[in-house]
Amino acid sequence: MLAPGIHVGPYEIVALVGAGAMGEVYRARDPRLGRDVAIKVLPASLAGDAERLRRFETEARAAAALNHPNILAVYDIGSHEGAPYIVSELLEGKNLREHLDEHGALPVRRAVEYAAQIANGLSAAHDKKIVHRDLKPENIFITTDDRPKILDFGLAKLTQPEPETPEGNAPTATGTQPGLLLGTIGYMSPEQVRGIATDYRSDLFAFGAILYEMLSGRRAYQRETVADTITAILKDHPAELGTIDRRIPTLLSRIVERCLEKSPAARFHSTQDLAFALAGSLQMASDTGTPVGAVPAATTAGARGPLPWMAAASVLLLTTIALAGAMLLRRPPATEDVVRLTVAPPRDVGQIGITLRLSPDGSRLLFPATTTDGLRRLWVRPLNMLDAFAVTAEPETPAARPATNTAAGSGTGSRPAPVISNTPISSTEPKRFFTARSMRWSSVLSPSK
């Protein structure tokens, strides 16, 4: 333990802030810039391993290269009497684990706001090829101005195996080569617990477990022993959030489920897509005027009796009529909204065609794709949903129809607006899905493909 007044490099120790398995954290003064900083002094026993020290310094420099408001800023690294240390910004507040232990589940809006900021910070790190590998509530700090900060990038590589704990929260052995575990049981992805190669998608799994805990107040994967926890991560799915708290929106539950997919390929294709989806869930609530986490009106009204419910329905009806009249009388100028999204392959689809087309109202995306059994079909992806569905009206095989009768485009000649349709064997009339625009003629619609 360092006493106040001792100099660690150019920094003067002021007081001990805390201590843990990774070393001791001190409040220190930087006389050169006249500011207080935090210094984490790592155990001197690690300094004898030249490879570990080299990797630590490399990752510390990588973390220092990150400049994001939701990532702890690293200022300097050094060595004091054989013990390496890291100098970072000094934070005031509590870590997320302390918040959850004290208050349980967070209000839905606050949990989503925290999650969106954490996702933005992770995205900045992943863009620079830096993977946290040990994301958990203990490594997320909530400052006094309500800003989450991600801590300890790469420090998990320096931890040593510790005894198993009933909570299944023990740090594991270090290393990134196959066969060794890296992370914290309970927040590790299936590929991590298997000891195989990992990438940024393991962080997405841990993120999903953290968001699940913020919303529900319970851990996604917690069993009596570490072995049982690992089995749960590999095989089980946590209880649906909607069954725990009906105020949690379905869209938000789908985002969490997507993060917790067992297969890395089924998770979000990028951390920026995840951040975009979270921001969209907040924006959707703002656009509809519905607070995130509000109990559905039908549920709450039923508890108060029929008369208040009827009064509320009357007010809602009158408001709807007034808004509809205003929209008819005053048509706002058309605006073009930029929509940014990633088209994820539907389940059981091996390849997506490169031709993508948007419906005239801008709400749906049309694309050809080949299923794993070799069948080429058309798929429709509503832009307000995460999944696409096959353009098939009934489960029967569609009747053979010439491609020219199914989709027309801007290939040649002057033609009416094309219609995407499908005719089941049991029907003689095509079922209209939507009128398309700017379509290309393509053999993907031919039944012979």
Side-chain angles (χ1 to χ4, degrees):
M1 180 174 175
L2 302 177
I6 291 180
H7 281 78
V8 175
Y11 309 99
E12 181 181 351
I13 298 298
V14 175
L16 177 68
V17 175
M22 287 300 300
E24 300 167 335
V25 180
Y26 295 89
R27 185 188 192 103
R29 185 71 176 171
D30 183 352
R32 301 167 300 176
L33 299 177
R35 64 180 177 184
D36 286 346
V37 296
I39 297 183
K40 174 178 285 187
V41 181
L42 299 177
S45 58
L46 297 177
D49 189 329
E51 176 62 17
R52 286 176 181 258
L53 184 58
R54 183 191 66 80
R55 288 169 55 189
F56 161 69
E57 292 175 345
T58 299
E59 295 196 14
R61 291 190 182 97
L66 296 173
N67 182 19
H68 194 277
N70 297 115
I71 296 177
L72 178 73
V74 174
Y75 299 145
D76 193 9
I77 60 173
S79 178
H80 175 74
E81 297 180 354
Y85 64 83
I86 293 179
V87 182
S88 65
E89 62 177 317
L90 182 66
L91 301 179
E92 302 287 348
K94 299 178 180 179
N95 66 42
L96 181 58
R97 169 61 61 213
E98 293 173 310
H99 278 271
L100 294 174
D101 288 345
E102 291 178 9
H103 308 292
L106 302 179
V108 178
R109 173 169 286 276
R110 177 176 295 178
V112 177
E113 290 174 345
Y114 284 170
Q117 294 182 66
I118 295 168
N120 283 326
L122 274 180
S123 178
H126 293 165
D127 286 346
K128 291 185 176 293
K129 311 301 181 184
I130 300 174
V131 182
H132 194 289
R133 301 184 180 92
D134 194 25
L135 199 64
K136 56 187 176 182
E138 290 81 356
N139 283 340
I140 297 175
F141 196 91
I142 309 299
T143 64
T144 52
D145 61 350
D146 221 27
R147 182 191 301 273
K149 295 264 191 178
I150 304 173
L151 313 179
D152 293 344
F153 273 88
L155 289 185
K157 287 189 175 183
L158 292 176
T159 58
Q160 296 292 339
E162 293 184 356
E164 296 181 354
T165 62
E167 295 78 14
N169 203 37
T172 62
T174 63
T176 55
Q177 62 268 38
L180 291 182
L181 301 182
L182 178 66
T184 298
I185 299 296
Y187 300 92
M188 295 171 65
S189 64
E191 58 270 25
Q192 281 179 292
V193 300
R194 289 191 177 102
I196 60 179
T198 61
D199 57 20
Y200 70 93
R201 293 171 295 186
S202 290
D203 281 353
L204 299 188
F205 187 93
F207 176 93
I210 293 170
L211 180 53
Y212 184 96
E213 190 170 346
M214 287 196 290
L215 292 168
S216 67
R218 62 179 73 171
R219 301 190 188 189
Y221 302 100
Q222 182 178 17
R223 302 295 187 268
E224 292 184 357
T225 66
V226 171
D228 291 339
T229 301
I230 290 177
T231 301
I233 290 173
L234 292 174
K235 298 182 178 181
D236 298 342
H237 295 278
E240 294 184 5
L241 287 169
T243 64
I244 299 174
D245 188 343
R246 63 190 178 193
R247 295 171 298 181
I248 300 174
T250 302
L251 176 59
L252 190 56
S253 298
R254 291 290 303 277
I255 292 174
V256 174
E257 292 169 3
R258 185 81 176 270
C259 291
L260 294 178
E261 288 283 356
K262 305 301 183 186
S263 170
R267 297 170 204 154
F268 283 93
H269 285 231
S270 74
T271 316
Q272 188 56 50
D273 285 349
L274 168 60
F276 182 75
L278 289 166
S281 68
L282 286 174
Q283 184 62 43
M284 183 178 296
S286 300
D287 291 343
T288 59
T290 304
V292 175
V295 178
T299 303
T300 57
R304 294 194 297 267
L307 290 179
W309 182 89
M310 293 175 63
S314 300
V315 172
L316 178 61
L317 178 61
L318 292 174
T319 303
T320 303
I321 294 173
L323 289 175
M327 293 176 65
L328 291 174
L329 293 175
R330 178 182 178 273
R331 299 184 63 183
T335 59
E336 293 187 359
D337 295 329
V338 177
V339 178
R340 182 177 183 273
L341 74 160
T342 295
V343 180
R347 293 177 185 269
D348 301 324
V349 166
Q351 181 178 4
I352 291 182
I354 61 174
T355 302
L356 303 176
R357 289 294 178 264
L358 194 66
S359 64
D361 61 359
S363 65
R364 286 159 293 184
L365 196 66
L366 175 74
F367 58 91
T370 304
T371 58
T372 53
D373 58 4
L375 180 64
R376 293 179 66 82
R377 309 175 69 180
L378 284 176
W379 296 77
V380 173
R381 155 78 184 276
L383 298 186
N384 62 348
M385 296 177 61
L386 297 177
D387 299 319
F389 59 88
V391 181
T392 303
E394 279 87 19
E396 290 87 1
T397 303
R401 293 175 56 86
T404 55
N405 290 338
T406 306
S410 57
T412 59
S414 174
R415 300 179 180 176
V419 174
I420 300 303
S421 60
N422 177 281
T423 305
I425 290 176
S426 59
S427 173
T428 59
E429 294 296 326
K431 176 180 177 63
R432 179 186 295 260
F433 288 96
F434 56 81
T435 302
R437 65 179 178 184
S438 184
M439 293 293 296
R440 291 182 182 176
W441 296 97
S442 174
S443 61
V444 297
L445 303 182
S446 171
S448 63
K449 293 293 180 180

